[in-house]
Amino acid sequence: MDRPVIAITGPARGAFGPRALVALAVRLYGGQPLQVRPGDDLERLTYHGVVVTGGHDVEPVLYAAEPEVEPNYDPARDALEMAMIRAALAEGLPLLGICRGAQLLNVCRGGTLFQELRSRRSKTSHRWTVLPLKTLCVTEDSRVLGRILAPCCRRHINSLHNQAIDRVGEGLQVSGRDLDGIVQAIEDPEAGFLLGVQWHPEFLLYLSRQRALFGALVAQARCVLVAGTSAN
């Protein structure tokens, strides 16, 4: 059986490490990674699942807000990834949004973001770290994340973000928070696999539960591939 193709988004330049780690995780579960960057012709690409990786902050104009912090935006990347998210939503493709990918998914569904988090933290550190030093509390009613990490559990995650989800977008629900109550994961329980996580699982591939996030994505993408093959 052919391997499902997983589109991995990223900036036009840089971010080689995170993209390579996501590609490694995709290959581990039998998927074929496809790196996608601004300027690529999306209409010529064929893929069965999407990973939207982390990076620059999401531009506030996309959710009708005024900038509150020093800008660090990538409009070309925003445009590419929002187009890919909307296409995945329209076609029912599995999607995993990582950090800014989760934020963009929320914005595409009409949600909003907090532009800074330092003032909203009292129990957790604002320090960036790739190490799993922050606590994730998975919600009891999570169907997607709960199936992978176990519902009502606590897991250790990393933290590399300035922004986070404020108002949750249409059809999405919160499936994980940190100890300050800041949203760490969103999902659509009605979709096959539609998940956004605020942390970076690609830096935690040595943890089986974190690898399993990519495994679940590839498994659902394989179903998309098989269904398309059968239809033809």
Side-chain angles (χ1 to χ4, degrees), residues 101-137:
Q103 297 162 11
L104 273 175
L105 169 60
N106 190 59
V107 169
C108 283
R109 283 286 185 89
T112 61
L113 306 177
F114 290 122
Q115 295 184 42
E116 63 84 24
L117 297 178
R118 188 179 299 275
S119 64
R120 293 174 172 83
R121 296 194 188 281
S122 60
K123 299 179 181 179
T124 61
S125 170
H126 195 65
R127 181 182 61 179
W128 283 21
T129 176
V130 297
L131 300 176
L133 300 179
K134 182 169 288 185
T135 300
L136 166 71
C137 304

mmCIF file of all heavy atoms in Angstrom, residues 101-137:
data_model
loop_
_atom_site.group_PDB
_atom_site.id
_atom_site.type_symbol
_atom_site.label_atom_id
_atom_site.label_comp_id
_atom_site.label_asym_id
_atom_site.label_seq_id
_atom_site.Cartn_x
_atom_site.Cartn_y
_atom_site.Cartn_z
ATOM 1 N N GLY A 101 0.372 26.805 14.721
ATOM 2 C CA GLY A 101 -0.572 26.031 13.920
ATOM 3 C C GLY A 101 -1.893 25.847 14.637
ATOM 4 O O GLY A 101 -2.964 25.912 14.015
ATOM 5 N N ALA A 102 -1.844 25.618 15.950
ATOM 6 C CA ALA A 102 -3.070 25.529 16.744
ATOM 7 C C ALA A 102 -3.776 26.879 16.774
ATOM 8 O O ALA A 102 -5.011 26.960 16.688
ATOM 9 C CB ALA A 102 -2.742 25.065 18.163
ATOM 10 N N GLN A 103 -3.001 27.945 16.894
ATOM 11 C CA GLN A 103 -3.578 29.284 16.938
ATOM 12 C C GLN A 103 -4.249 29.638 15.614
ATOM 13 O O GLN A 103 -5.354 30.190 15.584
ATOM 14 C CB GLN A 103 -2.482 30.291 17.281
ATOM 15 C CG GLN A 103 -1.869 30.079 18.659
ATOM 16 C CD GLN A 103 -0.532 30.780 18.828
ATOM 17 O OE1 GLN A 103 -0.134 31.595 18.001
ATOM 18 N NE2 GLN A 103 0.173 30.454 19.902
ATOM 19 N N LEU A 104 -3.599 29.306 14.497
ATOM 20 C CA LEU A 104 -4.185 29.579 13.188
ATOM 21 C C LEU A 104 -5.447 28.757 12.950
ATOM 22 O O LEU A 104 -6.414 29.250 12.357
ATOM 23 C CB LEU A 104 -3.169 29.294 12.088
ATOM 24 C CG LEU A 104 -2.219 30.430 11.720
ATOM 25 C CD1 LEU A 104 -1.197 29.948 10.696
ATOM 26 C CD2 LEU A 104 -2.973 31.626 11.175
ATOM 27 N N LEU A 105 -5.439 27.511 13.390
ATOM 28 C CA LEU A 105 -6.638 26.680 13.290
ATOM 29 C C LEU A 105 -7.789 27.357 14.026
ATOM 30 O O LEU A 105 -8.916 27.441 13.516
ATOM 31 C CB LEU A 105 -6.372 25.296 13.869
ATOM 32 C CG LEU A 105 -7.598 24.392 14.073
ATOM 33 C CD1 LEU A 105 -8.317 24.134 12.757
ATOM 34 C CD2 LEU A 105 -7.186 23.080 14.735
ATOM 35 N N ASN A 106 -7.519 27.844 15.215
ATOM 36 C CA ASN A 106 -8.554 28.522 15.998
ATOM 37 C C ASN A 106 -9.054 29.772 15.287
ATOM 38 O O ASN A 106 -10.263 30.036 15.236
ATOM 39 C CB ASN A 106 -7.989 28.884 17.373
ATOM 40 C CG ASN A 106 -9.049 29.377 18.329
ATOM 41 O OD1 ASN A 106 -10.007 28.675 18.628
ATOM 42 N ND2 ASN A 106 -8.894 30.592 18.815
ATOM 43 N N VAL A 107 -8.134 30.550 14.709
ATOM 44 C CA VAL A 107 -8.513 31.765 13.985
ATOM 45 C C VAL A 107 -9.358 31.423 12.750
ATOM 46 O O VAL A 107 -10.341 32.108 12.443
ATOM 47 C CB VAL A 107 -7.257 32.569 13.596
ATOM 48 C CG1 VAL A 107 -7.598 33.685 12.617
ATOM 49 C CG2 VAL A 107 -6.593 33.147 14.838
ATOM 50 N N CYS A 108 -8.992 30.351 12.043
ATOM 51 C CA CYS A 108 -9.756 29.943 10.862
ATOM 52 C C CYS A 108 -11.186 29.557 11.208
ATOM 53 O O CYS A 108 -12.080 29.649 10.362
ATOM 54 C CB CYS A 108 -9.060 28.777 10.159
ATOM 55 S SG CYS A 108 -7.624 29.257 9.181
ATOM 56 N N ARG A 109 -11.412 29.139 12.434
ATOM 57 C CA ARG A 109 -12.746 28.801 12.897
ATOM 58 C C ARG A 109 -13.426 29.984 13.603
ATOM 59 O O ARG A 109 -14.447 29.811 14.245
ATOM 60 C CB ARG A 109 -12.678 27.591 13.830
ATOM 61 C CG ARG A 109 -12.491 26.243 13.124
ATOM 62 C CD ARG A 109 -13.787 25.815 12.437
ATOM 63 N NE ARG A 109 -13.725 24.495 11.846
ATOM 64 C CZ ARG A 109 -14.028 23.349 12.477
ATOM 65 N NH1 ARG A 109 -14.381 23.376 13.749
ATOM 66 N NH2 ARG A 109 -13.975 22.208 11.843
ATOM 67 N N GLY A 110 -12.848 31.178 13.483
ATOM 68 C CA GLY A 110 -13.478 32.364 14.042
ATOM 69 C C GLY A 110 -13.079 32.699 15.462
ATOM 70 O O GLY A 110 -13.691 33.588 16.081
ATOM 71 N N GLY A 111 -12.065 32.032 16.010
ATOM 72 C CA GLY A 111 -11.616 32.298 17.372
ATOM 73 C C GLY A 111 -10.623 33.448 17.438
ATOM 74 O O GLY A 111 -10.216 34.006 16.417
ATOM 75 N N THR A 112 -10.190 33.792 18.652
ATOM 76 C CA THR A 112 -9.233 34.878 18.867
ATOM 77 C C THR A 112 -8.082 34.382 19.734
ATOM 78 O O THR A 112 -8.123 33.272 20.276
ATOM 79 C CB THR A 112 -9.899 36.085 19.545
ATOM 80 O OG1 THR A 112 -10.405 35.687 20.829
ATOM 81 C CG2 THR A 112 -11.045 36.630 18.711
ATOM 82 N N LEU A 113 -7.059 35.256 19.877
ATOM 83 C CA LEU A 113 -5.848 34.895 20.607
ATOM 84 C C LEU A 113 -5.517 35.936 21.676
ATOM 85 O O LEU A 113 -5.842 37.117 21.528
ATOM 86 C CB LEU A 113 -4.651 34.784 19.654
ATOM 87 C CG LEU A 113 -4.783 33.863 18.446
ATOM 88 C CD1 LEU A 113 -3.526 33.949 17.597
ATOM 89 C CD2 LEU A 113 -5.066 32.441 18.865
ATOM 90 N N PHE A 114 -4.851 35.486 22.723
ATOM 91 C CA PHE A 114 -4.141 36.379 23.623
ATOM 92 C C PHE A 114 -2.806 36.703 22.965
ATOM 93 O O PHE A 114 -2.082 35.796 22.550
ATOM 94 C CB PHE A 114 -3.868 35.719 24.973
ATOM 95 C CG PHE A 114 -5.103 35.517 25.822
ATOM 96 C CD1 PHE A 114 -5.449 34.238 26.253
ATOM 97 C CD2 PHE A 114 -5.896 36.576 26.198
ATOM 98 C CE1 PHE A 114 -6.560 34.040 27.040
ATOM 99 C CE2 PHE A 114 -7.019 36.388 26.993
ATOM 100 C CZ PHE A 114 -7.352 35.124 27.411
ATOM 101 N N GLN A 115 -2.446 37.977 22.903
ATOM 102 C CA GLN A 115 -1.193 38.347 22.241
ATOM 103 C C GLN A 115 0.012 38.288 23.165
ATOM 104 O O GLN A 115 1.155 38.286 22.703
ATOM 105 C CB GLN A 115 -1.324 39.749 21.642
ATOM 106 C CG GLN A 115 -2.353 39.809 20.521
ATOM 107 C CD GLN A 115 -2.407 41.163 19.874
ATOM 108 O OE1 GLN A 115 -1.385 41.795 19.612
ATOM 109 N NE2 GLN A 115 -3.617 41.646 19.617
ATOM 110 N N GLU A 116 -0.218 38.275 24.459
ATOM 111 C CA GLU A 116 0.879 38.086 25.412
ATOM 112 C C GLU A 116 0.349 37.291 26.597
ATOM 113 O O GLU A 116 -0.830 37.344 26.922
ATOM 114 C CB GLU A 116 1.469 39.432 25.850
ATOM 115 C CG GLU A 116 0.503 40.341 26.610
ATOM 116 C CD GLU A 116 0.427 40.024 28.088
ATOM 117 O OE1 GLU A 116 1.398 39.448 28.624
ATOM 118 O OE2 GLU A 116 -0.607 40.325 28.706
ATOM 119 N N LEU A 117 1.260 36.533 27.240
ATOM 120 C CA LEU A 117 0.836 35.616 28.298
ATOM 121 C C LEU A 117 1.473 35.909 29.653
ATOM 122 O O LEU A 117 1.012 35.392 30.665
ATOM 123 C CB LEU A 117 1.169 34.174 27.901
ATOM 124 C CG LEU A 117 0.462 33.643 26.660
ATOM 125 C CD1 LEU A 117 0.932 32.230 26.357
ATOM 126 C CD2 LEU A 117 -1.045 33.680 26.827
ATOM 127 N N ARG A 118 2.508 36.710 29.674
ATOM 128 C CA ARG A 118 3.222 36.944 30.932
ATOM 129 C C ARG A 118 2.280 37.424 32.036
ATOM 130 O O ARG A 118 2.363 36.970 33.177
ATOM 131 C CB ARG A 118 4.353 37.950 30.722
ATOM 132 C CG ARG A 118 5.280 38.109 31.915
ATOM 133 C CD ARG A 118 6.395 39.102 31.622
ATOM 134 N NE ARG A 118 7.223 38.663 30.506
ATOM 135 C CZ ARG A 118 8.242 37.833 30.647
ATOM 136 N NH1 ARG A 118 8.566 37.356 31.847
ATOM 137 N NH2 ARG A 118 8.968 37.483 29.593
ATOM 138 N N SER A 119 1.369 38.328 31.703
ATOM 139 C CA SER A 119 0.468 38.882 32.715
ATOM 140 C C SER A 119 -0.609 37.891 33.136
ATOM 141 O O SER A 119 -1.319 38.129 34.115
ATOM 142 C CB SER A 119 -0.202 40.157 32.184
ATOM 143 O OG SER A 119 -1.035 39.858 31.065
ATOM 144 N N ARG A 120 -0.734 36.781 32.415
ATOM 145 C CA ARG A 120 -1.764 35.789 32.717
ATOM 146 C C ARG A 120 -1.204 34.572 33.441
ATOM 147 O O ARG A 120 -1.906 33.598 33.642
ATOM 148 C CB ARG A 120 -2.462 35.369 31.420
ATOM 149 C CG ARG A 120 -3.268 36.501 30.814
ATOM 150 C CD ARG A 120 -3.846 36.156 29.451
ATOM 151 N NE ARG A 120 -4.754 37.209 29.016
ATOM 152 C CZ ARG A 120 -4.377 38.339 28.431
ATOM 153 N NH1 ARG A 120 -3.082 38.541 28.181
ATOM 154 N NH2 ARG A 120 -5.257 39.254 28.081
ATOM 155 N N ARG A 121 0.062 34.631 33.788
ATOM 156 C CA ARG A 121 0.683 33.508 34.490
ATOM 157 C C ARG A 121 0.911 33.836 35.955
ATOM 158 O O ARG A 121 1.385 34.919 36.290
ATOM 159 C CB ARG A 121 2.024 33.154 33.855
ATOM 160 C CG ARG A 121 1.940 32.650 32.425
ATOM 161 C CD ARG A 121 3.245 32.012 32.013
ATOM 162 N NE ARG A 121 3.295 31.669 30.616
ATOM 163 C CZ ARG A 121 2.729 30.600 30.082
ATOM 164 N NH1 ARG A 121 2.037 29.772 30.857
ATOM 165 N NH2 ARG A 121 2.833 30.350 28.787
ATOM 166 N N SER A 122 0.580 32.901 36.807
ATOM 167 C CA SER A 122 0.885 33.037 38.238
ATOM 168 C C SER A 122 1.446 31.739 38.809
ATOM 169 O O SER A 122 2.214 31.762 39.765
ATOM 170 C CB SER A 122 -0.366 33.449 39.017
ATOM 171 O OG SER A 122 -1.386 32.475 38.879
ATOM 172 N N LYS A 123 1.081 30.611 38.219
ATOM 173 C CA LYS A 123 1.522 29.311 38.710
ATOM 174 C C LYS A 123 2.595 28.676 37.838
ATOM 175 O O LYS A 123 3.235 27.700 38.249
ATOM 176 C CB LYS A 123 0.327 28.350 38.804
ATOM 177 C CG LYS A 123 -0.761 28.806 39.759
ATOM 178 C CD LYS A 123 -1.916 27.820 39.777
ATOM 179 C CE LYS A 123 -3.025 28.288 40.706
ATOM 180 N NZ LYS A 123 -4.170 27.348 40.702
ATOM 181 N N THR A 124 2.768 29.193 36.643
ATOM 182 C CA THR A 124 3.725 28.598 35.713
ATOM 183 C C THR A 124 4.732 29.636 35.246
ATOM 184 O O THR A 124 4.460 30.835 35.256
ATOM 185 C CB THR A 124 3.014 28.003 34.480
ATOM 186 O OG1 THR A 124 2.326 29.049 33.798
ATOM 187 C CG2 THR A 124 2.020 26.935 34.892
ATOM 188 N N SER A 125 5.885 29.156 34.820
ATOM 189 C CA SER A 125 6.953 30.042 34.358
ATOM 190 C C SER A 125 6.693 30.498 32.923
ATOM 191 O O SER A 125 6.108 29.769 32.119
ATOM 192 C CB SER A 125 8.300 29.311 34.424
ATOM 193 O OG SER A 125 9.311 30.054 33.774
ATOM 194 N N HIS A 126 7.157 31.712 32.586
ATOM 195 C CA HIS A 126 7.050 32.213 31.228
ATOM 196 C C HIS A 126 8.307 31.859 30.417
ATOM 197 O O HIS A 126 8.428 32.228 29.255
ATOM 198 C CB HIS A 126 6.864 33.734 31.244
ATOM 199 C CG HIS A 126 6.402 34.285 29.931
ATOM 200 N ND1 HIS A 126 5.168 33.980 29.373
ATOM 201 C CD2 HIS A 126 7.012 35.117 29.038
ATOM 202 C CE1 HIS A 126 5.039 34.607 28.216
ATOM 203 N NE2 HIS A 126 6.142 35.301 27.985
ATOM 204 N N ARG A 127 9.217 31.130 31.031
ATOM 205 C CA ARG A 127 10.471 30.781 30.362
ATOM 206 C C ARG A 127 10.233 29.804 29.219
ATOM 207 O O ARG A 127 9.479 28.839 29.349
ATOM 208 C CB ARG A 127 11.429 30.138 31.378
ATOM 209 C CG ARG A 127 12.781 29.752 30.801
ATOM 210 C CD ARG A 127 13.638 29.091 31.858
ATOM 211 N NE ARG A 127 13.034 27.874 32.352
ATOM 212 C CZ ARG A 127 13.591 27.084 33.267
ATOM 213 N NH1 ARG A 127 14.732 27.418 33.819
ATOM 214 N NH2 ARG A 127 12.968 25.986 33.648
ATOM 215 N N TRP A 128 10.882 30.050 28.084
ATOM 216 C CA TRP A 128 10.820 29.125 26.965
ATOM 217 C C TRP A 128 11.761 27.949 27.219
ATOM 218 O O TRP A 128 12.884 28.123 27.659
ATOM 219 C CB TRP A 128 11.256 29.826 25.686
ATOM 220 C CG TRP A 128 10.226 30.723 25.088
ATOM 221 C CD1 TRP A 128 9.152 31.280 25.699
ATOM 222 C CD2 TRP A 128 10.187 31.165 23.738
ATOM 223 N NE1 TRP A 128 8.438 32.053 24.830
ATOM 224 C CE2 TRP A 128 9.064 32.001 23.606
ATOM 225 C CE3 TRP A 128 10.997 30.953 22.634
ATOM 226 C CZ2 TRP A 128 8.723 32.617 22.405
ATOM 227 C CZ3 TRP A 128 10.663 31.565 21.431
ATOM 228 C CH2 TRP A 128 9.536 32.384 21.321
ATOM 229 N N THR A 129 11.294 26.745 26.926
ATOM 230 C CA THR A 129 12.139 25.564 27.074
ATOM 231 C C THR A 129 11.606 24.436 26.209
ATOM 232 O O THR A 129 10.387 24.257 26.089
ATOM 233 C CB THR A 129 12.211 25.106 28.538
ATOM 234 O OG1 THR A 129 12.972 23.890 28.616
ATOM 235 C CG2 THR A 129 10.837 24.867 29.138
ATOM 236 N N VAL A 130 12.524 23.679 25.572
ATOM 237 C CA VAL A 130 12.112 22.503 24.811
ATOM 238 C C VAL A 130 11.927 21.300 25.731
ATOM 239 O O VAL A 130 11.413 20.264 25.292
ATOM 240 C CB VAL A 130 13.139 22.154 23.714
ATOM 241 C CG1 VAL A 130 13.249 23.278 22.705
ATOM 242 C CG2 VAL A 130 14.498 21.823 24.305
ATOM 243 N N LEU A 131 12.346 21.435 26.979
ATOM 244 C CA LEU A 131 12.212 20.338 27.933
ATOM 245 C C LEU A 131 10.778 20.268 28.473
ATOM 246 O O LEU A 131 10.108 21.294 28.601
ATOM 247 C CB LEU A 131 13.191 20.525 29.092
ATOM 248 C CG LEU A 131 14.671 20.562 28.712
ATOM 249 C CD1 LEU A 131 15.520 20.853 29.942
ATOM 250 C CD2 LEU A 131 15.092 19.246 28.068
ATOM 251 N N PRO A 132 10.295 19.089 28.819
ATOM 252 C CA PRO A 132 8.917 18.940 29.315
ATOM 253 C C PRO A 132 8.802 19.340 30.791
ATOM 254 O O PRO A 132 8.702 18.485 31.674
ATOM 255 C CB PRO A 132 8.638 17.448 29.107
ATOM 256 C CG PRO A 132 9.973 16.801 29.212
ATOM 257 C CD PRO A 132 10.957 17.771 28.629
ATOM 258 N N LEU A 133 8.786 20.641 31.038
ATOM 259 C CA LEU A 133 8.761 21.161 32.404
ATOM 260 C C LEU A 133 7.421 21.785 32.796
ATOM 261 O O LEU A 133 7.272 22.267 33.907
ATOM 262 C CB LEU A 133 9.876 22.205 32.580
ATOM 263 C CG LEU A 133 11.299 21.702 32.331
ATOM 264 C CD1 LEU A 133 12.290 22.836 32.524
ATOM 265 C CD2 LEU A 133 11.631 20.537 33.260
ATOM 266 N N LYS A 134 6.482 21.802 31.868
ATOM 267 C CA LYS A 134 5.167 22.373 32.146
ATOM 268 C C LYS A 134 4.142 21.246 32.241
ATOM 269 O O LYS A 134 4.292 20.197 31.589
ATOM 270 C CB LYS A 134 4.775 23.358 31.064
ATOM 271 C CG LYS A 134 3.432 24.050 31.292
ATOM 272 C CD LYS A 134 3.222 25.210 30.343
ATOM 273 C CE LYS A 134 4.119 26.356 30.734
ATOM 274 N NZ LYS A 134 3.880 27.569 29.927
ATOM 275 N N THR A 135 3.102 21.448 33.017
ATOM 276 C CA THR A 135 2.078 20.421 33.222
ATOM 277 C C THR A 135 0.881 20.655 32.320
ATOM 278 O O THR A 135 0.329 21.757 32.276
ATOM 279 C CB THR A 135 1.610 20.401 34.688
ATOM 280 O OG1 THR A 135 2.726 20.112 35.530
ATOM 281 C CG2 THR A 135 0.537 19.345 34.906
ATOM 282 N N LEU A 136 0.477 19.619 31.590
ATOM 283 C CA LEU A 136 -0.727 19.621 30.782
ATOM 284 C C LEU A 136 -1.811 18.827 31.498
ATOM 285 O O LEU A 136 -1.581 17.684 31.896
ATOM 286 C CB LEU A 136 -0.450 18.992 29.420
ATOM 287 C CG LEU A 136 -1.676 18.620 28.575
ATOM 288 C CD1 LEU A 136 -2.360 19.879 28.048
ATOM 289 C CD2 LEU A 136 -1.287 17.685 27.435
ATOM 290 N N CYS A 137 -2.981 19.416 31.626
ATOM 291 C CA CYS A 137 -4.135 18.728 32.209
ATOM 292 C C CYS A 137 -5.134 18.448 31.095
ATOM 293 O O CYS A 137 -5.752 19.382 30.557
ATOM 294 C CB CYS A 137 -4.784 19.583 33.292
ATOM 295 S SG CYS A 137 -3.659 20.101 34.612
#
